[in-house]
Amino acid sequence: MPAQIIDGKLVAQQSRDALAIEVAAFTAQTGVTPKLAAVLVGDDPASQVYVGSKQKACAAVGMTSELHRLPATTTQAELLDLVARLNADSTVHGILVQLPLPSQIDPEAILDATHPLKDVDCFHAENVGLMIQGRPRYLPCTPHGVQVLLASADIATEGAHVVVLGRSEIVGKPLANLLALKGPGGNATVTICHSRTRNIAHFTRQADILVAAIGQPNFVTAEMIREEAVVIDVGTNRFEGKLVGDVAFAEVAQKASAITPVPGGVGPMTIAMLLKNTLTAARLQSR
Ligand code: GUN
């Protein structure tokens, strides 16, 4: 039987609808409208699309946003200067510096400089540390989006063997940690595979839930998964003029019990979770 398709677009919409009600109540109570400041350096077309979607989503839930566009030649000092101004601006609750940054800028220096309370990406070392210790201030957007998607499809992580392909700071590493935490959406047995893993298929075939986040089109094939596995595709790759994931969707969907499509799977969830963090940020800064 073909797999259940987990509809991230729908779940993200439901999450935004619920959030819009919370934002309205917060603003009525405090007079504060949550605001996200997005920073885009250079003119990478994919980044422009992502940032545009983030701004649109803010408006849809009653938040405001501002976009700071800087040229690709921006120096690290110039970007640090902008971050310092946004840190000091009390009308800005969340700061999002779109990655990747041009090579002359060290992303860690920028993430370290972002005020931890305004770090709605959950990239700052303080917020990552709090999350890993099981006392999160913010939850990382894409990893938490994966958790919410699994819950929406009634897929339990407790006791499940989750194999995460990829150890990036944005997805693989925080997701593996989140899934291993005690509590709802966690309690999983987690294996991380990466570019130096020998015989990746040996591990992927043992996964109850396989998460692909490596950025290689069609990497996960049907023979790499076990019958009835759940497959979550975090990949967003341009391939032959189309947006495709890391999973060979057509063949894997014949063998899996549930699968996320690309586009329309994890992607929309990332933005929905960013909005959630921005409301949390406004709450934390309005006390
Ligand atoms: N680039 C790719 N994903 C993300 C994300 O979640 N946040 C930011 N800031 N940049 C990204």
Side-chain angles (χ1 to χ4, degrees):
M1 208 172 62
Q4 170 198 355
I5 310 292
I6 303 174
D7 186 347
K9 237 172 120 172
L10 178 69
V11 180
Q13 179 65 51
Q14 289 164 345
S15 170
R16 283 197 301 270
D17 291 347
L19 193 69
I21 294 168
E22 282 190 64
V23 172
F26 171 76
T27 301
Q29 200 175 23
T30 60
V32 174
T33 304
K35 191 204 267 187
L36 176 72
V39 180
L40 181 58
V41 186
D43 36 36
D44 176 57
S47 290
Q48 289 184 42
V49 172
Y50 292 139
V51 168
S53 305
K54 287 168 185 177
Q55 285 200 284
K56 251 192 249 160
C58 280
V61 298
M63 299 187 190
T64 54
S65 65
E66 59 185 35
L67 174 60
H68 298 264
R69 289 198 71 147
L70 302 176
T73 51
T74 301
T75 64
Q76 181 164 309
E78 285 166 337
L79 183 54
L80 285 172
D81 190 53
L82 172 60
V83 169
R85 276 187 280 130
L86 296 174
N87 282 342
D89 182 345
S90 63
T91 70
V92 168
H93 305 102
I95 301 172
L96 177 138
V97 179
Q98 186 65 29
L99 303 177
L101 290 166
S103 57
Q104 73 275 17
I105 301 176
D106 171 16
E108 262 179 17
I110 306 304
L111 302 179
D112 287 351
T114 303
H115 194 294
L117 284 176
K118 299 194 179 193
D119 167 40
V120 287
D121 265 321
C122 194
F123 288 167
H124 191 285
E126 182 178 311
N127 291 324
V128 175
L130 288 170
M131 185 269 290
I132 289 177
Q133 290 185 345
R135 46 182 186 142
R137 175 186 284 146
Y138 299 117
L139 290 171
C141 301
T142 302
H144 186 45
V146 169
Q147 274 186 314
V148 172
L149 268 188
L150 290 170
S152 78
D154 279 327
I155 296 160
T157 53
E158 173 143 348
H161 183 198
V162 183
V163 175
V164 177
L165 299 184
R167 56 177 161 180
S168 70
E169 302 296 336
I170 296 185
V171 184
K173 199 189 285 184
L175 176 62
N177 280 284
L178 207 50
L179 292 167
L181 285 179
K182 284 185 183 160
N187 290 338
T189 302
V190 181
T191 299
I192 304 179
C193 297
H194 48 74
S195 53
R196 304 298 170 95
T197 300
R198 282 195 294 267
N199 194 0
I200 281 197
H202 166 78
F203 297 96
T204 58
R205 283 190 202 112
Q206 295 173 48
D208 300 311
I209 301 171
L210 177 63
V211 183
I214 44 172
Q216 286 190 44
N218 301 321
F219 182 87
V220 175
T221 55
E223 59 155 36
M224 290 173 70
I225 72 157
R226 78 175 186 207
E227 208 69 60
E228 299 288 294
V230 171
V231 180
I232 305 292
D233 191 350
V234 186
T236 49
N237 311 295
R238 286 258 150 226
F239 184 65
E240 295 174 354
K242 280 196 309 194
L243 184 66
V244 302
D246 292 344
V247 176
F249 183 87
E251 61 177 76
V252 173
Q254 293 303 314
K255 194 171 179 186
S257 61
I259 188 169
T260 60
V262 177
V266 175
M269 295 304 295
T270 299
I271 299 181
M273 298 305 112
L274 173 74
L275 301 176
K276 220 168 145 168
N277 283 346
T278 305
L279 175 59
T280 303
R283 284 210 167 103
L284 292 172
Q285 290 163 78
S286 304
R287 294 203 288 215

